[in-house]
Amino acid sequence: MKNRRPLSLRVPAPETRPGDEPDFSGVPLSGAGEVARPAIDVRPRDISELSYALIRVLDDEGRALGSWNPKLDPAVMKHGLKSMLVTRAYDDRMYRAQRQGKTSFYMKSTGEEAVSVGAAAVLERDDMCFPSYRQQGLLISRGYPLKTMMCQVYSNAEDPLKGRQLPIMYSSKEFGFFTISGNLGTQFPQAVGWAMASAYKGDDRIAASWVGEGTTAEGDFHHACNFASVYRAPVILNVVNNQWAISSYQGIAGGDEATFASRAIGYGLPGLRVDGNDFLAVYAVTQWAAERARANLGATLIEHYTFRAEGHSTSDDPNRYRPADAWKSWPLGDPIARLKKHLIAIKAWSEAEHEAAEKDAVEQVRAANKEAEAAGTLGTHPPSVKTMFEDVFKEMPWHIRRQRQEAGV
Amino acid sequence: MPAMNMIQALNSALDVMLTKDPNVLTFGEDVGFFGGVFRVTDGLQKKHGLTRCFDTPIGEAGIVAVAIGMGAYGLRPVVEIQFADYIYPAYDQLVSEAARLRYRSAGDFTAPMTVRTPYGGGIFGGQTHSQSPEALFTHVAGLKTVVPSTPYDAKGLLIAAIEDDDPVIFLEPKRIYNGPFDGYHDRPVQPWAKHPASEVPEGHYTVPLGKAAVLREGNDLTVLAYGTMVHVALASAHDAGIDAEVIDLRTLVPVDIEAIVASVEKTGRCVILHEATRTSGYGAELVALVQEHCFHHLEAPIERVAGWDTPYPHAFEWDYFPGPKRVIEAMRRAMEA
Ligand SMILES: Cc1ncc(C[n+]2csc(CCOP(=O)(O)OP(=O)(O)O)c2C)c(N)n1
């Protein structure tokens, strides 16, 4: 009893902070093509090592290697590349719009575009996506009008959500994009429920959801995994490990102790860990998970290993909590540059075409923004105030009607 | 005495308590190295060490539950929920656990913890960064609920909350972190430095829980308010040219019933303000209290000005926020009745 040593409280901290050189020596780098692709009907417990490996297809020379290579038609890859370019240009433009006071808030997905664009290339249009706020690439690859997205960001009279939501909290049932919540993680178990409903109805649609690695700490992450496992729900559960949750590095979410993909093991789900900056690898694992779900074999948890290139949102300065320009030394590179290199390597693309595609992306965004701004920016041409009182309930009860009268609208 | 804004005053309260009491520690999302998204814990990790001020996983239920466990051990944790809008995952831990440890164990276990959280509108935060959920806590037996409206009070009340042996929900009106806001959104923002209540002593002092403050004396009408609405009340009383008495409740539970009764007995008229939605809001409790205690002194129906019964919409910040126009109208109705 007396000889027992005093305990001490452990609080994790990242290796590097502002002023330090970024150090990514701990980043797991299995070589492209090294990890074998199992059959979709594999027993999850037999592939638990995939939760610690890193599935990669593209190597540094832009070659596509190994059994995970989805062997895509170049047209699919080009659509992916262009969608990523538009997403990046869109993010840049909207970020600037916030800085110019045209809206209150914005969040970019720079550096992690392949996560959403890659998945969008696999999922069917009538599958339902339950995104977090960083999957604008889903809408963009599905051809949702940029102008409409911008009108949402500007909360103007043409905003389909009537100015009710914070910028970037899009919603479109038609485009299979579930209304985004500001409350982290709530969508994860909801996606499971949607998938269970599809199974209950005997339909063939599947659901997919995304959370950041930070959000895996919420109870809803557990509910999603557990229900998905128990009911073998046809759902793809994606964890976007972009290393940072606002100012907290992934170790604060428990990532130093075990990978986020390995959370799957305890639930009896397959847990795949993929290079999230490798469009082909993201495509391949999503396709694997989708095939599995459609074969009634249940859910898959996928950890997308990537990096948040910029600040969390327009409200923070990342240089206050991590080394400056950290993204530049991220060993898994830039998803756009990597897919471009591959397309050029297989002679399906050229520098000139890329330059033209970049210009075209910027031009599409510019043209859409011109129209969106003409419809109003935040506060200049809002939706009718009357609408503020609508949709609380299907039918407006007396007390809200009275309040609307009191407001004089 | 240094001039402090509310953020600095709260920071100072935490600093004083971390220095004074080794059982005090503070944690929450982005609270440690970064110092909180509103910077309330800025510099505290550096000064007091990693184990006294640290980041947590993004799990509000976990944050509160861990604080309960620590409180049961004998610590005095002060946790931050990044926005009041994100406190709901912790609701079960607060309602069923923190609020009841003392009662169900007959005083054997207690949870002397403080839950700080920024709340309220006026910042274009949309429906998930603007809510005022105080009534969800005032309704719970066993939780104290505190809302400061100035830097001086913020520091004194936070220290009192930390030293209190019961769980305290400490709601910080984020719109007035950097300066008082009277609801006239088209006028230039004022810094706290020009306000007398920005003079904040550097050391330890308390503002007692359960005590309201009369911020403006008057004879014709009593205004009951808290948080940002206190400043709206003061400006509205001035602009309406009404001899109104403005009471800043500061603590909602236990509320200072004596201050309320003394004022309403004098004025005979009462207007109640809050940002939160009207139906079942804390104002309903205040109406009931005034009616029960002051019925024979009332000369007019009690007025309530509150947020509309809708979620807080992004585009309609100023149509939603119960600003001076609506407050003055209510004051006039109370005077004319
Ligand atoms: C329930 C809840 N708690 C806290 C927040 C505040 N918040 C917004 S984003 C964020 C960080 C999320 O990080 P992560 O899940 O890793 O996603 P990322 O932003 O990196 O994409 C926090 C703490 C919130 N929106 N909801």
Side-chain angles (χ1 to χ4, degrees):
Chain A
M1 228 10 211
K2 282 274 175 285
N3 291 333
R4 282 206 249 157
R5 282 196 298 148
L7 298 163
S8 64
L9 180 64
R10 178 250 187 179
V11 176
E15 306 278 339
T16 55
R17 284 295 193 188
D20 299 333
E21 282 299 309
D23 174 10
F24 292 120
S25 54
V27 169
L29 282 179
S30 29
E34 261 176 27
V35 179
R37 183 187 197 270
I40 57 158
D41 59 356
V42 68
R43 279 193 319 178
R45 74 178 75 152
D46 295 334
I47 55 162
S48 52
E49 74 282 357
L50 288 190
S51 301
Y52 280 91
L54 191 68
I55 297 166
R56 307 182 70 195
V57 173
L58 289 173
D59 74 0
D60 292 346
E61 273 71 59
R63 286 175 304 193
L65 304 175
S67 55
W68 281 100
N69 179 4
K71 305 211 167 82
L72 290 182
D73 184 328
V76 175
M77 291 189 272
K78 284 186 204 172
H79 179 73
L81 184 66
K82 287 177 185 170
S83 299
M84 291 197 285
L85 285 170
V86 175
T87 303
R88 191 164 292 181
Y90 175 82
D91 279 346
D92 284 340
R93 189 67 200 82
M94 292 296 95
Y95 185 90
R96 253 188 298 139
Q98 192 277 343
R99 287 294 185 251
Q100 293 165 342
K102 290 173 181 163
T103 191
S104 56
F105 178 79
Y106 192 72
M107 299 176 102
K108 298 174 110 177
S109 61
T110 308
E112 44 189 285
E113 294 92 346
V115 172
S116 50
V117 173
V122 174
L123 296 168
E124 301 288 337
R125 254 297 278 279
D126 62 353
D127 294 334
M128 187 62 82
C129 299
F130 289 76
S132 85
Y133 42 73
R134 242 185 264 283
Q135 280 81 49
Q136 46 269 57
L138 289 169
L139 280 175
I140 290 173
S141 1
R142 285 183 166 191
Y144 189 80
L146 292 177
K147 180 196 164 189
T148 313
M149 292 174 75
M150 290 162 166
C151 289
Q152 194 283 328
V153 169
Y154 292 146
S155 279
N156 66 22
E158 291 185 37
D159 167 10
L161 310 184
K162 304 184 182 177
R164 291 179 187 152
Q165 278 274 57
L166 207 61
I168 62 107
M169 306 266 171
Y170 314 105
S171 171
S172 171
K173 195 185 239 179
E174 190 194 341
F175 282 76
F177 194 92
F178 191 73
T179 161
I180 296 179
S181 172
N183 298 56
L184 292 171
T186 50
Q187 73 277 17
F188 228 43
Q190 292 165 358
V192 175
W194 195 97
M196 287 168 65
S198 176
Y200 168 84
K201 287 280 218 176
D203 293 340
D204 59 2
R205 303 161 77 188
I206 64 172
S209 187
W210 290 260
V211 292
E213 87 290 344
T215 301
T216 62
E218 292 284 3
D220 278 341
F221 175 80
H222 163 73
H223 304 315
C225 294
N226 198 37
F227 277 70
S229 168
V230 169
Y231 297 104
R232 218 167 272 174
V235 61
I236 306 174
L237 298 171
N238 296 283
V239 175
V240 186
N241 180 2
N242 64 9
Q243 314 299 321
W244 289 90
I246 312 185
S247 73
S248 299
Y249 86 113
Q250 51 85 33
I252 294 293
D256 283 349
E257 314 305 319
T259 68
F260 295 98
S262 74
R263 306 293 194 253
I265 296 171
Y267 297 99
L269 296 174
L272 306 179
R273 192 150 178 261
V274 63
D275 175 351
N277 290 11
D278 177 342
F279 179 87
L280 296 184
V282 170
Y283 185 100
V285 294
T286 308
Q287 186 183 45
W288 188 89
E291 279 175 17
R292 193 174 154 88
R294 288 191 210 284
N296 225 20
L297 295 165
T300 302
L301 183 72
I302 301 173
E303 173 183 353
H304 300 263
Y305 207 72
T306 180
F307 197 81
R308 199 192 73 209
E310 309 227 6
H312 171 73
S313 72
T314 44
S315 308
D316 68 313
D317 172 7
N319 294 336
R320 293 184 84 136
Y321 49 79
R322 71 182 192 195
D325 293 333
W327 187 48
K328 292 207 176 115
S329 30
W330 177 243
L332 300 176
D334 173 348
I336 293 180
R338 287 177 65 193
L339 185 57
K340 170 192 167 194
K341 196 169 198 177
H342 173 65
L343 280 166
I344 290 176
I346 62 168
K347 305 210 161 34
W349 197 239
S350 68
E351 285 292 348
E353 279 175 288
H354 191 78
E355 212 171 290
E358 260 174 347
K359 278 214 184 92
D360 182 58
V362 171
E363 180 49 34
Q364 278 182 52
V365 167
R366 200 196 58 77
N369 190 54
K370 201 168 158 210
E371 285 181 41
E373 285 195 12
T377 54
L378 181 60
T380 64
H381 187 203
S384 154
V385 182
K386 222 180 150 96
T387 61
M388 174 165 78
F389 296 94
E390 294 165 3
D391 297 325
V392 180
F393 296 101
K394 185 173 174 196
E395 278 164 35
M396 193 179 291
W398 70 268
H399 67 285
I400 299 183
R401 207 175 318 119
R402 217 173 102 174
Q403 291 178 17
R404 192 182 67 188
Q405 282 158 6
E406 195 189 324
V409 292
Chain B
M1 246 185 288
M4 292 191 199
N5 63 28
M6 196 182 280
I7 292 168
Q8 293 161 328
L10 292 163
N11 182 277
S12 173
L14 290 166
D15 187 23
V16 164
M17 289 311 292
L18 285 163
T19 306
K20 181 168 180 258
D21 183 352
N23 285 329
V24 171
L25 71 174
T26 185
F27 50 93
E29 296 158 18
D30 301 291
V31 156
F33 186 84
F34 190 49
V37 295
F38 289 103
R39 330 248 8 107
V40 171
T41 53
D42 193 22
L44 296 178
Q45 181 177 83
K46 196 161 186 210
K47 180 166 175 189
H48 297 281
L50 202 56
T51 58
R52 310 256 346 254
C53 174
F54 53 85
D55 293 329
T56 64
I58 302 170
E60 293 75 14
I63 293 169
V64 169
V66 160
I68 294 171
M70 289 178 169
Y73 196 94
L75 303 185
R76 286 188 185 275
V78 187
V79 301
E80 175 178 302
I81 300 297
Q82 199 164 82
F83 285 87
D85 314 69
Y86 304 137
I87 206 167
Y88 309 123
Y91 199 55
D92 187 39
Q93 287 288 343
L94 288 167
V95 174
S96 313
E97 306 301 319
R100 297 190 202 153
L101 284 200
R102 178 185 299 284
Y103 191 81
R104 77 182 193 217
S105 70
D108 203 14
F109 289 100
T110 59
M113 60 196 274
T114 303
V115 180
R116 293 182 35 246
T117 188
Y119 88 100
I123 63 152
F124 280 96
Q127 50 194 284
T128 55
H129 303 85
S130 306
Q131 293 165 72
S132 298
E134 65 273 16
L136 299 181
F137 305 109
T138 59
H139 189 57
V140 176
L143 296 178
K144 293 184 177 174
T145 303
V146 174
V147 189
S149 74
T150 66
Y152 181 89
D153 281 358
K155 177 169 173 181
L157 286 166
L158 182 56
I159 291 178
I162 297 169
E163 291 180 343
D164 196 273
D165 289 332
D166 285 309
V168 179
I169 309 293
F170 193 89
L171 295 164
E172 301 171 1
K174 59 178 146 356
R175 173 62 218 224
I176 58 171
Y177 267 153
N178 289 302
F181 174 65
D182 60 13
Y184 287 104
H185 56 90
D186 35 12
R187 295 184 189 165
V189 280
Q190 299 294 318
W192 274 114
K194 292 188 182 157
H195 193 285
S198 70
E199 282 184 30
V200 177
E202 288 194 72
H204 179 283
Y205 68 91
T206 59
V207 170
L209 305 189
K211 280 268 167 259
V214 178
L215 294 189
R216 182 190 204 265
E217 292 194 7
N219 291 305
D220 292 348
L221 169 78
T222 298
V223 184
L224 303 180
Y226 46 92
T228 305
M229 293 308 288
V230 165
H231 303 277
V232 179
L234 290 168
S236 302
H238 176 267
D239 291 358
I242 291 172
D243 187 18
E245 182 147 294
V246 175
I247 297 189
D248 176 2
L249 294 174
R250 302 197 292 196
T251 301
L252 307 188
V253 172
V255 75
D256 187 349
I257 189 67
E258 282 166 26
I260 296 173
V261 171
S263 181
V264 177
E265 285 190 349
K266 177 172 71 172
T267 63
R269 296 168 201 274
C270 184
V271 174
I272 291 161
L273 313 180
H274 56 62
E275 292 180 57
T277 45
R278 179 182 173 103
T279 299
S280 300
Y282 185 66
E285 179 63 28
L286 291 173
V287 172
L289 287 172
V290 170
Q291 188 276 138
E292 284 161 14
H293 288 81
C294 313
F295 183 72
H296 295 292
H297 293 83
L298 283 174
E299 290 168 39
I302 304 164
E303 286 282 341
R304 269 190 292 169
V305 183
W308 309 119
D309 284 324
T310 74
Y312 207 123
H314 177 248
F316 306 117
E317 185 69 58
W318 306 122
D319 299 290
Y320 188 91
F321 185 87
K325 181 170 169 285
R326 287 179 60 205
V327 173
I328 290 171
E329 279 167 13
M331 288 174 159
R332 297 232 158 98
R333 281 196 301 271
M335 289 309 295
E336 282 155 19

